[in-house]
PDB file of all heavy atoms in Angstrom:
ATOM      1  N   CYS A 291     -91.714  83.009  43.407  1.00 98.00           N
ATOM      2  CA  CYS A 291     -91.008  81.721  43.488  1.00 98.00           C
ATOM      3  C   CYS A 291     -92.001  80.613  43.513  1.00 98.00           C
ATOM      4  O   CYS A 291     -93.188  80.783  43.979  1.00 98.00           O
ATOM      5  CB  CYS A 291     -90.078  81.737  44.630  1.00 98.00           C
ATOM      6  SG  CYS A 291     -89.226  80.144  44.903  1.00 98.00           S
ATOM      7  N   GLU A 326     -81.512  76.199  42.494  1.00 98.00           N
ATOM      8  CA  GLU A 326     -82.141  76.444  41.334  1.00 98.00           C
ATOM      9  C   GLU A 326     -81.186  77.114  40.325  1.00 98.00           C
ATOM     10  O   GLU A 326     -81.209  76.788  39.171  1.00 98.00           O
ATOM     11  CB  GLU A 326     -83.556  77.121  41.543  1.00 98.00           C
ATOM     12  CG  GLU A 326     -84.153  77.599  40.277  1.00 98.00           C
ATOM     13  CD  GLU A 326     -85.412  78.464  40.639  1.00 98.00           C
ATOM     14  OE1 GLU A 326     -86.072  78.138  41.593  1.00 98.00           O
ATOM     15  OE2 GLU A 326     -85.796  79.219  39.671  1.00 98.00           O
ATOM     16  N   ARG A 329     -78.468  75.065  39.086  1.00 98.00           N
ATOM     17  CA  ARG A 329     -78.863  74.231  37.999  1.00 98.00           C
ATOM     18  C   ARG A 329     -79.014  74.915  36.598  1.00 98.00           C
ATOM     19  O   ARG A 329     -78.668  74.518  35.551  1.00 98.00           O
ATOM     20  CB  ARG A 329     -80.164  73.454  38.288  1.00 98.00           C
ATOM     21  CG  ARG A 329     -80.062  72.396  39.362  1.00 98.00           C
ATOM     22  CD  ARG A 329     -81.339  71.550  39.439  1.00 98.00           C
ATOM     23  NE  ARG A 329     -82.588  72.267  39.885  1.00 98.00           N
ATOM     24  CZ  ARG A 329     -82.921  72.502  40.975  1.00 98.00           C
ATOM     25  NH1 ARG A 329     -82.194  72.094  42.092  1.00 98.00           N
ATOM     26  NH2 ARG A 329     -84.068  73.165  41.291  1.00 98.00           N
ATOM     27  N   ARG A 384     -76.692  96.935  24.354  1.00 96.00           N
ATOM     28  CA  ARG A 384     -75.427  97.511  23.804  1.00 96.00           C
ATOM     29  C   ARG A 384     -74.256  96.616  24.324  1.00 96.00           C
ATOM     30  O   ARG A 384     -73.278  96.543  23.567  1.00 96.00           O
ATOM     31  CB  ARG A 384     -75.356  98.922  24.082  1.00 96.00           C
ATOM     32  CG  ARG A 384     -74.884  99.330  25.401  1.00 96.00           C
ATOM     33  CD  ARG A 384     -74.762 100.786  25.481  1.00 96.00           C
ATOM     34  NE  ARG A 384     -73.703 101.347  24.605  1.00 96.00           N
ATOM     35  CZ  ARG A 384     -73.572 102.572  24.371  1.00 96.00           C
ATOM     36  NH1 ARG A 384     -74.310 103.537  24.960  1.00 96.00           N
ATOM     37  NH2 ARG A 384     -72.666 102.907  23.524  1.00 96.00           N
ATOM     38  N   ASP A 455     -76.157 100.710  18.084  1.00 95.00           N
ATOM     39  CA  ASP A 455     -74.965  99.929  18.616  1.00 95.00           C
ATOM     40  C   ASP A 455     -74.627  98.763  17.762  1.00 95.00           C
ATOM     41  O   ASP A 455     -73.484  98.429  17.578  1.00 95.00           O
ATOM     42  CB  ASP A 455     -75.284  99.633  20.132  1.00 95.00           C
ATOM     43  CG  ASP A 455     -75.406 100.687  20.920  1.00 95.00           C
ATOM     44  OD1 ASP A 455     -74.663 101.705  20.857  1.00 95.00           O
ATOM     45  OD2 ASP A 455     -76.431 100.699  21.711  1.00 95.00           O
TER      46      ASP A 455
ATOM     47  N   CYS B 303     -85.304  75.482  37.638  1.00 98.00           N
ATOM     48  CA  CYS B 303     -86.555  75.715  38.343  1.00 98.00           C
ATOM     49  C   CYS B 303     -86.561  74.985  39.602  1.00 98.00           C
ATOM     50  O   CYS B 303     -85.933  73.974  39.657  1.00 98.00           O
ATOM     51  CB  CYS B 303     -87.696  75.352  37.385  1.00 98.00           C
ATOM     52  SG  CYS B 303     -89.320  75.570  38.104  1.00 98.00           S
ATOM     53  N   SER B 304     -87.424  75.371  40.647  1.00 97.00           N
ATOM     54  CA  SER B 304     -87.443  74.581  41.874  1.00 97.00           C
ATOM     55  C   SER B 304     -88.866  74.455  42.163  1.00 97.00           C
ATOM     56  O   SER B 304     -89.294  74.262  43.470  1.00 97.00           O
ATOM     57  CB  SER B 304     -86.641  75.133  42.959  1.00 97.00           C
ATOM     58  OG  SER B 304     -87.151  76.495  43.258  1.00 97.00           O
ATOM     59  N   ARG B 341     -97.105  85.942  40.096  1.00 98.00           N
ATOM     60  CA  ARG B 341     -96.941  86.545  41.570  1.00 98.00           C
ATOM     61  C   ARG B 341     -95.811  87.525  41.568  1.00 98.00           C
ATOM     62  O   ARG B 341     -95.944  88.552  42.248  1.00 98.00           O
ATOM     63  CB  ARG B 341     -96.621  85.309  42.521  1.00 98.00           C
ATOM     64  CG  ARG B 341     -97.802  84.451  42.764  1.00 98.00           C
ATOM     65  CD  ARG B 341     -97.582  83.515  43.986  1.00 98.00           C
ATOM     66  NE  ARG B 341     -96.449  82.553  43.820  1.00 98.00           N
ATOM     67  CZ  ARG B 341     -96.598  81.431  43.194  1.00 98.00           C
ATOM     68  NH1 ARG B 341     -97.772  81.004  42.839  1.00 98.00           N
ATOM     69  NH2 ARG B 341     -95.567  80.678  43.116  1.00 98.00           N
ATOM     70  N   ARG B 396     -79.008 101.194  28.775  1.00 96.00           N
ATOM     71  CA  ARG B 396     -79.222 102.499  28.038  1.00 96.00           C
ATOM     72  C   ARG B 396     -80.746 102.797  27.926  1.00 96.00           C
ATOM     73  O   ARG B 396     -81.146 103.941  27.906  1.00 96.00           O
ATOM     74  CB  ARG B 396     -78.491 102.576  26.739  1.00 96.00           C
ATOM     75  CG  ARG B 396     -79.120 101.793  25.679  1.00 96.00           C
ATOM     76  CD  ARG B 396     -78.490 101.892  24.313  1.00 96.00           C
ATOM     77  NE  ARG B 396     -78.255 103.404  23.995  1.00 96.00           N
ATOM     78  CZ  ARG B 396     -77.624 103.822  22.988  1.00 96.00           C
ATOM     79  NH1 ARG B 396     -76.871 103.021  22.210  1.00 96.00           N
ATOM     80  NH2 ARG B 396     -77.678 105.072  22.587  1.00 96.00           N
ATOM     81  N   ASP B 467     -74.431 106.897  28.254  1.00 94.00           N
ATOM     82  CA  ASP B 467     -75.813 107.195  28.099  1.00 94.00           C
ATOM     83  C   ASP B 467     -76.468 107.807  29.410  1.00 94.00           C
ATOM     84  O   ASP B 467     -77.385 108.712  29.133  1.00 94.00           O
ATOM     85  CB  ASP B 467     -76.540 105.817  27.960  1.00 94.00           C
ATOM     86  CG  ASP B 467     -76.045 105.033  26.704  1.00 94.00           C
ATOM     87  OD1 ASP B 467     -76.174 105.764  25.576  1.00 94.00           O
ATOM     88  OD2 ASP B 467     -75.658 103.893  26.808  1.00 94.00           O
TER      89      ASP B 467
END
Side-chain angles (χ1 to χ4, degrees):
Chain A
C291 176
E326 169 184 336
R329 289 194 297 274
R384 73 177 304 172
D455 298 311
Chain B
C303 176
S304 55
R341 288 195 297 273
R396 74 177 305 174
D467 297 311

